[in-house]
Amino acid sequence: MLNTRNPVIVIGGGQSGLAVAHALRAARMPFLVLEASEEAVGGSWPRYYDSLALFSPARFSALPGARFSGDGERYPRRDEVAAYLRAYARRFDGEVRYGQRVEAVKAAPRGGFAVRTGDGSQHEGAAVIAASGYFGNPYRPELPGLGEFAGTVLHACEYRSSDSFAGQRVIVVGGGNSAIQIAADLAGVARVTLTSRGPLRWQAQRIAGRDLHWWLTRTGIDSAPIGRWLGSRSMPIIDDGRYRSALESGNPDHRRLFARLSEDGVEWHDGARERVDTVILATGYRPDMGYLAGTGALDADGIPFQRSGVSTTVRGLAYVGLEYQRSNASASVRGVGRDAAYVVKQLQRRRR
């Protein structure tokens, strides 16, 4: 039985947390959103690189109950998405607390959870929904020679624009959408190589005149609860032709992951060596949920034990925004609303 005296604590006020807030309000369940940023909700979007845009058109990219205004076929850019999320958050005025970075979640003496934040505040919750996403925990793989390299090493989360890279030799490590976008962005001012362990996988953005997401929605694939079978597959690069054209131009070029880095450069598998100024790791992220340490909720790598967003080890704990949590779209703006509704429904059943 869910303790109804306390609210459901939602950790994170980005796209996932706001989708959860919408679902909880619709279910008439009291809640409190704890957001780490000091003033404005928007999750990670304000901190992404300048040229980032959604891969799905605006009409397929909204949170529940609020469409993007304007042309539904356009692809909203970073600042527009951040502004959209801020506007969406205003409907939950009073239920979102800012400057509340969660540091620890523990079992409360009277049942439920005790949540401690960085300023020393304590909140008791009947349940906790972790919606803090991935951006705060960038994955930095152990690459050969990376520790010896004396040049600049950045993760994609630290990249903003090409302005400070003019004339440099840059290597971008990764084979996904962010890697190719950053490499193409830099190619206007620098000599760039995109390097990955395997071949790049491509997906056309438009098929028979329709955006890919029209087809995914029309066929039901986008919302199908098949996340468990997708988790081991890498996402293809969604391309309207510009990125393959960029590679064909030779800058950026694509090569197999280097043999190793040295103090001042790189050695390729054919034995060629060259100086390198900057290495950018577009190598993804891991769940940012260190506050659950010691609860039994996470495995040794910090990955939640869960099924369809419901913890399998801690009663009353759930998640929204995990990659492939339930579907192909689970970690996207367009997908979090469905997962939030599902998770809240599971909490309602316990409450009854």
Side-chain angles (χ1 to χ4, degrees):
M1 184 75 174
L2 189 68
N3 179 356
T4 59
R5 292 174 299 174
N6 293 323
V8 176
I9 303 294
V10 182
I11 302 176
Q15 61 195 33
S16 300
L18 294 177
V20 172
H22 180 275
L24 288 167
R25 179 173 284 185
R28 298 184 179 180
M29 297 174 70
F31 65 91
L32 177 64
V33 179
L34 301 178
E35 164 60 25
S37 64
E38 293 293 336
E39 298 179 357
V41 168
S44 304
W45 279 93
R47 294 174 283 162
Y48 286 134
Y49 49 92
D50 295 353
S51 60
L52 183 66
L54 289 175
F55 293 110
S56 53
R59 71 188 181 104
F60 294 115
S61 303
L63 293 176
R67 296 180 178 180
F68 275 90
S69 59
D71 181 8
E73 293 302 310
R74 79 189 187 285
Y75 299 90
R77 299 179 69 85
R78 180 199 65 184
D79 292 345
E80 184 181 358
V81 177
Y84 168 84
L85 294 175
R86 289 194 295 270
Y88 195 93
R90 284 195 285 271
R91 66 181 63 194
F92 307 115
D93 185 40
E95 294 160 311
V96 179
R97 303 275 180 87
Y98 300 100
Q100 296 288 291
R101 181 175 296 279
V102 173
E103 292 192 344
V105 175
K106 305 293 182 184
R110 294 175 294 176
F113 298 90
V115 178
R116 188 185 78 244
T117 59
D119 65 357
S121 299
Q122 297 276 351
H123 306 274
E124 286 200 7
V128 166
I129 301 179
S132 48
Y134 291 74
F135 192 81
N137 190 17
Y139 176 57
R140 303 173 188 267
E142 295 183 5
L143 300 174
L146 185 62
E148 303 170 21
F149 182 61
T152 300
V153 179
L154 301 174
H155 191 273
C157 67
E158 301 168 294
Y159 176 76
R160 292 295 176 271
S161 73
S162 63
D163 294 348
S164 60
F165 297 89
Q168 289 194 15
R169 179 69 174 103
V170 181
I171 293 178
V172 179
V173 180
N177 288 289
S178 293
I180 187 66
Q181 283 191 352
I182 291 172
D185 195 37
L186 284 165
V189 300
R191 174 73 183 91
V192 185
T193 290
L194 177 66
T195 181
S196 59
R197 295 187 187 278
L200 302 178
R201 296 177 56 231
W202 300 95
Q203 171 61 61
Q205 190 163 47
R206 301 189 73 82
I207 302 169
R210 299 274 194 176
D211 181 87
L212 168 67
H213 296 87
W214 185 91
W215 293 102
L216 292 174
T217 302
R218 189 68 172 262
T219 59
I221 293 174
D222 205 46
S223 57
I226 55 175
R228 285 181 295 158
W229 291 275
L230 294 172
S232 61
R233 300 186 62 194
S234 61
M235 287 291 288
I237 296 171
I238 299 175
D239 186 28
D240 61 3
R242 78 182 80 175
Y243 298 123
R244 272 179 283 196
S245 294
L247 291 179
E248 289 169 2
S249 76
N251 189 27
D253 66 341
H254 176 248
R255 306 186 199 181
R256 175 187 172 192
L257 184 65
F258 45 75
R260 66 175 294 106
L261 292 167
S262 61
E263 182 178 359
D264 64 352
V266 64
E267 180 182 337
W268 300 103
H269 284 278
D270 62 2
R273 298 171 181 264
E274 57 180 317
R275 289 184 60 85
V276 171
D277 299 294
T278 299
V279 174
I280 298 178
L281 304 174
T283 46
Y285 303 83
R286 296 293 182 268
D288 185 18
M289 297 176 184
Y291 48 80
L292 293 175
T295 63
L298 310 175
D299 69 14
D301 295 319
I303 307 300
F305 294 113
Q306 57 86 29
R307 183 165 184 173
S308 298
V310 178
S311 174
T312 56
T313 57
V314 179
R315 184 173 174 81
L317 175 64
Y319 308 90
V320 172
L322 300 176
E323 281 192 319
Y324 306 118
Q325 176 172 310
R326 295 185 67 239
S327 73
N328 179 65
S330 282
S332 69
V333 180
R334 71 184 188 279
V336 290
R338 291 188 292 264
D339 286 1
Y342 175 85
V343 163
V344 168
K345 188 175 182 179
Q346 305 313 303
L347 291 180
Q348 278 186 300
R349 287 177 176 173
R350 288 191 50 215
R351 187 179 188 182
R352 297 192 188 104

